Amino acid sequence: MSALPQLTRFNDNVLSKYQIYNSIFITLPFDTINNTGVLLPLFHKICEKGFKNGKNPTQIVEKFFKKYVDSSKEDAKKDLLFHFIQYIERQVVLFDAIEDAAFPIVNNMEGFGTLRNSQETAILRNKKEELKKHLEDFKVRIVLTAHPTQFYPGTVLSIITDLDKAIQNDDLLLIKKLLAQLGKTPFYKKKKPTPFDEAVSLIWYLEHVFYKSVPKIYNYIQHHIYDGQPVENEIIDLGFWPGGDRDGNPFVTTQITLDVAERLRQSILRSYYRDVRRLKRRFTFDGVQEILVGVEKRLYKHVVRSYAKVNFSQKILLKELETARDIIQNNHDGLFIDELNDFINKVRIFGFHFATLDLRQDSRVHHKAFIQIVDDLLASGDTTFPDNYHSMSEEEQIEILSVIKGNIDPEILTDEMSEKTIQSIYALKTIQQRNGERGANRYIISNNQTALNVMQTFAMLNLCGFENELPVDVIPLFETVDDLENSESVMRTLYSNKSYRYHLSKRKNKQTIMLGFSDGTKDGGYLMANWGIFKAKEALTRVSREFDIEVIFFDGRGGPPARGGGKTHQFYSSLGPTIEDKEIQLTIQGQTISSNFGTEDSSQYNLEQLLSSGIKNEVFTKDQINDTHRTLIEDLATTSYQAYVDFKNHPCFLPYLEKMSTLKYYAKTNIGSRPSKRSNSDTLDFSQLRAIPFVGSWSQLKQNVPGFFGVGTALKKYEDAGRFDEIVDFYNASDFFKTLLENSMMSLTKSFFGLTAYMADDDVYGEFWKLIHQEYKTTKRLLLKLAGHTELMENQPVGKASIEIREKIVLPLLTIQQYALKKVQDLQKSGADASEIEIYEKMVMRSLFGNINASRNSA
């Protein structure tokens, strides 16, 4: 099977199966209108033909109604459109399940970018020892976040899992039943999930996917690269944000943080409990059975009793298991010892925490909270801070903050946010006591602008009774273009501070720094955000090496290229020697979790791709941008940035998003627990707008502006100057530049301006729409010219085919959404009844779901 071309395997195992199962699906009546499945294909054809002939969504929908639906029954028309939405979002799920089931067939699980490939390459190049040395301290950290880019409830996730297995087994009868079940299962939540709900949803992936895929990779490395010898490195770490991420989310409380940590602890112990019960069936020998029975009883106690007294730990469990292993090895000929070793490896990797719960808060919130803490302490007669603290210079304040210690009582604080901030730090201490230090040992400061932001957090941690060394990493997150440029100066100030430098010496001389793609792209556009982060990494590497600090970069990557996503492993394999790369750390969220890590096969494959990208960059080849190319990309980024800033400053920019897109509907979808913006103001403030609804709204319009705007302008500058060959040379020589532009091509591939072409005639926004469309056409033309292609993603045929099918599935959904948006606008202008407007607004909101999930990475 693997000998066939990848596109052929995709067509045979994904496209063909989808056509077969979809034909079954659309004949299943699961609503009050039995002919919905019959009418949907007809509507789909009218949509395709209509857009081809330059018709707008309103004309297309009205033509369909005129031809196939009794025009006198307005309610029946609306009901039918809602039922179309129901069908289409389930068609997306069906396609997801088929694609997931075919993953190990379509993708070569032992091919390029896998561990087997890396191992064989190392042997061929006589670099196996170098590979082993690299893996002694190289890690990949995957951090699951609950950012609202996917909405599948747990019931639907379970159906998808069962459907995946049924498709793999070609069990047609079960597939039909599951499709019927899918049709009757609600897809959207009637109320917003709590942060704890989000945590429970993501823990499902930890238990059912990562618990299997991560040890499988670890075991392969141990057996095939280390020849069965112990590996003193977990290699893959898991992180977790739901329940700990307070940035802009007022619903994350101290109790929720504690409850999520306890749920993580119980989940991993429950997984261990199941494994121990299986192991008992094998190890029926004297001396071993007794140990496993004891372990089983202790695990059971901690699984069934939340917040059970801490009298069990990873260290204790490992000691007992290793004692059992010695008995098996010495007294029972090593029988079934590999099975026990596999379990021991799981305990080493996952501990009693499963995934590290990160805490995160915005620096601006911290600053206000900290000022109030100082005031409250001074008012209580506490002498921790001098009376003139607030009038001191920033440098003087940093010196004070670097040495203070204490054990502050949250009860004395008069400000609610100050109290919550201190309570969250005490919660961190509690989690470490129950789950081990790896349970929670990172505090991230988002929107970090100054060294004072970091030191305020450092001081608050030290005011919460941590004795001796502080067992927490303080992690600044630099997001905007300006903050990225200032990051080197901030870190130099921190590294020069004796107390902070001593703290780092007790943290293995490592400093983690987070860099955010989402707000960077929103702030500075696609090229500048990516190049700005690349330059910041170089500068931060230089200053860290100067102070003998190993800097670890933590990337805030979302699903789409506009938020740092796309083919992420290609980025990591293209880093040169000027950027530290001892660890790869990145956030994954929304559809990226389900699409890249939703099954054991896809999780293993994509984790291996990330591991291999780090191996390739360090052991095999180093991609380095030369001075000539550096000058080129600097100019391209600057030109692109100016084009994007001018675009943002256009008087129609915010009104267009507010009036013509789905932006305001994101807050109503109940996808995630966080508000769609950081402030409560009714006025749209760009600085307070979150990156996800910003990027997502462009995606719903099928314009995907954040993934390409400014790129075409920058490339055209060189075409007009007769210097385009220089860009071609750069593209062919640099993996980094090539990956950057190929991900932009993905954003273009998912764009469809025919959907909104009617806006070109709008009295207010027509010229603005034309401005966007022109940049799209320029970018597409020049990227094709640069790559020497005739169509976008020509060199990624399977990815292109997947996108094309998904876009085809949701075309009627997009048409309905635009039709409903236009209806809302027209009804508002005519002063129609609010209840009538509400129906079409609900139609817009409901159509968001299928579009979001079909994109899988939202742009």
Side-chain angles (χ1 to χ4, degrees):
M1 180 66 73
S2 61
L4 294 172
Q6 190 180 23
L7 184 59
T8 302
R9 301 198 301 272
F10 177 85
N11 289 335
D12 290 347
N13 295 278
V14 179
L15 178 56
S16 296
K17 285 190 176 182
Y18 174 73
Q19 290 168 342
I20 293 168
Y21 296 140
N22 185 52
S23 66
I24 297 170
F25 181 58
I26 61 175
T27 63
L28 297 174
F30 58 83
D31 52 52
T32 55
I33 302 177
N34 291 328
N35 63 348
T36 307
V38 176
L39 290 173
L40 181 56
L42 299 174
F43 181 53
H44 192 284
K45 286 183 180 178
I46 285 182
C47 289
E48 285 186 325
K49 189 174 180 181
F51 285 121
K52 190 175 182 180
N53 294 331
K55 302 295 182 183
N56 65 49
T58 301
Q59 292 170 327
I60 290 169
V61 173
E62 288 178 348
K63 180 179 179 180
F64 172 76
F65 284 155
K66 185 176 180 180
K67 191 169 183 179
Y68 295 108
V69 182
D70 186 343
S71 58
S72 65
K73 297 180 179 179
E74 286 298 320
D75 288 343
K77 292 179 185 178
K78 295 169 191 170
D79 286 344
L80 181 60
L81 292 179
F82 275 111
H83 286 302
F84 279 168
I85 292 171
Q86 285 181 292
Y87 258 98
I88 294 164
E89 61 191 9
R90 285 159 175 79
Q91 285 178 314
V92 171
V93 171
L94 173 60
F95 186 78
D96 282 350
I98 293 169
E99 197 167 42
D100 288 345
F103 190 93
I105 300 172
V106 174
N107 297 278
N108 187 349
M109 299 294 287
E110 297 182 346
F112 183 78
T114 64
L115 279 174
R116 177 167 181 170
N117 176 257
S118 295
Q119 175 210 2
E120 290 174 349
T121 302
I123 292 171
L124 285 171
R125 298 187 184 182
N126 199 27
K127 288 191 172 186
K128 185 175 179 181
E129 290 304 313
E130 195 174 336
L131 174 60
K132 287 169 66 175
K133 183 171 175 42
H134 177 63
L135 289 174
E136 286 174 4
D137 56 6
F138 175 70
K139 288 185 180 182
V140 167
R141 180 187 289 260
I142 297 292
V143 181
L144 305 184
T145 77
H147 292 342
T149 56
Q150 188 182 48
F151 71 98
Y152 290 146
T155 50
V156 174
L157 284 173
S158 297
I159 295 171
I160 293 172
T161 301
D162 293 341
L163 196 53
D164 180 335
K165 293 177 183 175
I167 290 168
Q168 288 186 49
N169 296 327
D170 290 321
D171 189 340
L172 191 58
L173 181 60
L174 180 56
I175 290 168
K176 189 172 181 178
K177 288 181 179 179
L178 289 169
L179 291 176
Q181 180 189 2
L182 192 64
K184 293 178 179 293
T185 303
F187 261 50
Y188 66 98
K189 302 176 178 75
K190 293 181 180 178
K191 61 179 183 179
K192 273 184 174 291
T194 67
F196 185 78
D197 294 333
E198 292 173 329
V200 170
S201 294
L202 289 189
I203 288 172
W204 185 93
Y205 289 99
L206 293 178
E207 285 189 288
H208 294 89
V209 179
F210 289 101
Y211 186 71
K212 299 174 184 177
S213 62
V214 173
K216 195 171 181 180
I217 292 170
Y218 183 93
N219 291 340
Y220 183 91
I221 290 172
Q222 185 178 47
H223 288 297
H224 297 280
I225 296 176
Y226 283 86
D227 302 317
Q229 297 302 308
V231 184
E232 300 301 325
N233 176 21
E234 296 84 16
I235 297 174
I236 298 172
D237 280 334
L238 299 177
F240 206 75
W241 273 15
D245 183 9
R246 286 163 166 71
D247 180 12
N249 194 339
F251 307 113
V252 177
T253 64
T254 300
Q255 191 58 51
I256 280 181
T257 300
L258 290 168
D259 288 346
V260 169
E262 183 63 15
R263 183 63 175 251
L264 285 164
R265 181 173 179 270
Q266 285 186 313
S267 297
I268 189 59
L269 295 185
R270 182 166 55 244
S271 297
Y272 291 163
Y273 175 75
R274 287 192 291 261
D275 276 356
V276 168
R277 286 180 64 85
R278 283 193 289 268
L279 286 172
K280 279 174 58 186
R281 294 172 63 88
R282 292 286 175 264
F283 297 109
T284 51
F285 327 137
D286 287 342
V288 180
Q289 181 79 358
E290 292 82 356
I291 291 174
L292 293 181
V293 167
V295 167
E296 179 189 17
K297 288 179 179 178
R298 299 185 78 173
L299 287 171
Y300 181 78
K301 175 184 174 182
H302 284 264
V303 167
V304 299
R305 289 173 55 192
S306 293
Y307 294 103
K309 184 179 178 182
V310 178
N311 57 3
F312 200 26
S313 66
Q314 177 192 23
K315 185 177 180 181
I316 293 170
L317 178 56
L318 280 174
K319 185 176 181 180
E320 293 187 13
L321 294 174
E322 285 164 357
T323 299
R325 183 174 60 185
D326 289 343
I327 295 171
I328 295 165
Q329 187 70 56
N330 297 328
N331 301 343
H332 303 290
D333 302 319
L335 190 59
F336 295 123
I337 201 167
D338 286 344
E339 293 184 32
L340 182 61
N341 281 332
D342 175 63
F343 181 56
I344 290 172
N345 287 342
K346 286 178 180 176
V347 177
R348 283 177 175 161
I349 294 166
F350 300 119
F352 273 36
H353 66 289
F354 217 159
T356 301
L357 184 62
D358 289 347
L359 270 63
R360 184 172 79 128
Q361 183 57 282
D362 190 288
S363 66
R364 293 164 292 190
V365 174
H366 267 176
H367 183 68
K368 291 179 182 177
F370 189 76
I371 288 173
Q372 190 60 50
I373 288 170
V374 174
D375 288 344
D376 287 341
L377 286 174
L378 289 172
S380 70
D382 189 284
T383 58
T384 301
F385 293 93
D387 292 339
N388 65 337
Y389 174 81
H390 291 312
S391 62
M392 288 180 167
S393 67
E394 183 171 310
E395 290 77 12
E396 290 171 328
Q397 287 182 344
I398 287 174
E399 285 304 315
I400 296 290
L401 297 175
S402 66
V403 295
I404 61 172
K405 290 272 188 180
N407 204 340
I408 191 171
D409 181 2
E411 295 293 325
I412 71 166
L413 301 176
T414 60
D415 174 66
E416 183 183 13
M417 184 53 69
S418 300
E419 185 179 1
K420 286 180 176 179
T421 301
I422 294 301
Q423 285 177 340
S424 72
I425 295 173
Y426 279 115
L428 186 152
K429 286 183 66 178
T430 301
I431 294 166
Q432 288 197 353
Q433 289 164 3
R434 295 188 60 79
N435 297 18
E437 185 181 316
R438 289 170 67 198
N441 60 15
R442 292 150 51 101
Y443 202 118
I444 300 161
I445 311 142
S446 54
N447 192 49
N448 196 96
Q449 299 175 340
T450 65
L452 185 62
N453 294 150
V454 176
M455 293 308 295
Q456 285 173 339
T457 305
F458 182 69
M460 282 191 282
L461 286 161
N462 280 311
L463 282 171
C464 290
F466 282 105
E467 298 177 3
N468 302 319
E469 284 78 45
L470 179 65
V472 181
D473 295 322
V474 185
I475 303 174
L477 165 52
F478 301 105
E479 300 181 74
T480 67
V481 172
D482 288 342
D483 291 344
L484 288 168
E485 290 179 351
N486 295 333
S487 61
E488 179 184 8
S489 173
V490 169
M491 297 313 300
R492 181 175 293 280
T493 300
L494 293 172
Y495 291 157
S496 300
N497 182 279
K498 290 182 181 179
S499 296
Y500 190 78
R501 183 64 184 81
Y502 175 79
H503 165 67
L504 290 181
S505 72
K506 298 301 179 181
R507 303 300 293 166
K508 299 181 180 179
N509 285 314
K510 293 183 178 183
Q511 170 68 57
T512 302
I513 299 174
M514 189 172 180
L515 302 165
F517 283 80
S518 297
D519 283 287
T521 306
K522 173 175 160 271
D523 178 55
Y526 181 71
L527 275 184
M528 180 56 86
N530 282 278
W531 179 235
I533 286 172
F534 189 95
K535 288 193 299 178
K537 284 184 175 181
E538 289 189 316
L540 292 166
T541 297
R542 282 196 304 270
V543 70
S544 299
R545 287 173 177 172
E546 180 184 332
F547 284 86
D548 293 324
I549 301 296
E550 182 182 306
V551 65
I552 298 166
F553 294 116
F554 177 22
D555 291 321
R557 292 187 178 275
R563 293 182 43 243
K567 299 291 185 182
T568 53
H569 62 273
Q570 293 179 357
F571 267 119
Y572 289 116
S573 67
S574 67
L575 298 178
T578 56
I579 293 177
E580 197 71 77
D581 62 345
K582 287 291 179 67
E583 291 191 24
I584 290 175
Q585 297 191 9
L586 70 158
T587 57
I588 56 169
Q589 57 206 47
Q591 302 92 320
T592 312
I593 297 174
S594 59
S595 62
N596 289 0
F597 303 92
T599 67
E600 188 178 340
D601 287 324
S602 63
S603 174
Q604 179 187 339
Y605 181 83
N606 285 295
L607 284 170
E608 287 192 18
Q609 291 289 318
L610 285 170
L611 279 168
S612 295
S613 68
I615 292 169
K616 174 181 178 292
N617 191 40
E618 186 65 29
V619 179
F620 300 139
T621 57
K622 282 277 190 184
D623 183 50
Q624 190 165 4
I625 299 176
N626 63 39
D627 290 342
T628 301
H629 294 159
R630 185 176 292 273
T631 302
L632 285 175
I633 193 169
E634 182 70 41
D635 186 54
L636 287 167
T638 302
T639 305
S640 173
Y641 176 65
Q642 190 56 55
Y644 181 76
V645 169
D646 291 344
F647 175 64
K648 270 200 316 180
N649 292 334
H650 193 289
C652 285
F653 181 76
L654 282 179
Y656 180 83
L657 272 177
E658 198 165 21
K659 303 291 185 185
M660 307 298 279
S661 82
T662 59
L663 179 64
K664 66 181 180 181
Y665 297 98
Y666 265 80
K668 303 176 182 180
T669 56
N670 294 333
I671 294 174
S673 69
R674 291 201 311 176
S676 60
K677 54 185 179 180
R678 288 182 169 89
S679 70
N680 295 320
S681 171
D682 292 332
T683 305
L684 182 58
D685 182 347
F686 184 73
S687 65
Q688 297 296 322
L689 179 62
R690 291 197 172 280
I692 288 170
F694 174 71
V695 172
S697 296
W698 290 112
S699 174
Q700 294 284 325
L701 285 169
K702 305 311 291 181
Q703 293 175 6
N704 290 330
V705 159
F708 72 82
F709 201 94
V711 175
T713 298
L715 293 175
K716 191 172 185 299
K717 175 182 176 180
Y718 282 81
E719 183 185 51
D720 291 345
R723 299 176 58 192
F724 201 73
D725 285 349
E726 295 176 36
I727 308 298
V728 173
D729 175 68
F730 183 19
Y731 178 83
N732 290 326
S734 169
D735 288 344
F736 170 77
F737 188 53
K738 179 178 286 187
T739 301
L740 190 64
L741 295 188
E742 284 184 349
N743 278 342
S744 188
M745 288 185 201
M746 185 190 297
S747 290
L748 293 172
T749 303
K750 295 183 179 182
S751 297
F752 175 48
F753 278 82
L755 178 71
T756 56
Y758 71 92
M759 294 182 185
D761 299 323
D762 189 90
D763 292 339
V764 179
Y765 300 109
E767 292 304 313
F768 187 72
W769 183 91
K770 291 175 184 175
L771 173 68
I772 300 169
H773 188 221
Q774 183 56 51
E775 183 67 13
Y776 162 80
K777 290 193 296 182
T778 301
T779 306
K780 179 179 178 180
R781 177 179 67 81
L782 291 175
L783 284 178
L784 289 175
K785 179 180 179 180
L786 178 60
H789 295 165
T790 56
E791 55 184 31
L792 294 169
M793 295 183 69
E794 187 178 298
N795 61 333
Q796 300 172 47
V798 171
K800 179 180 173 63
S802 178
I803 289 171
E804 286 176 347
I805 297 170
R806 291 175 179 279
E807 295 298 313
K808 186 174 181 179
I809 291 171
V810 297
L811 182 63
L813 199 58
L814 294 163
T815 308
I816 292 169
Q817 185 183 88
Q818 286 298 314
Y819 167 76
L821 276 171
K822 192 70 170 64
K823 273 285 189 182
V824 170
Q825 294 164 10
D826 293 344
L827 290 169
Q828 288 173 337
K829 287 177 184 177
S830 66
D833 186 80
S835 61
E836 181 76 1
I837 295 173
E838 187 179 349
I839 291 172
Y840 287 104
E841 287 193 320
K842 183 180 178 183
M843 196 177 291
V844 174
M845 186 268 290
R846 288 287 289 109
S847 66
L848 283 168
F849 299 145
N851 291 333
I852 288 171
N853 286 294
S855 295
R856 277 217 157 177
N857 63 17
S858 287

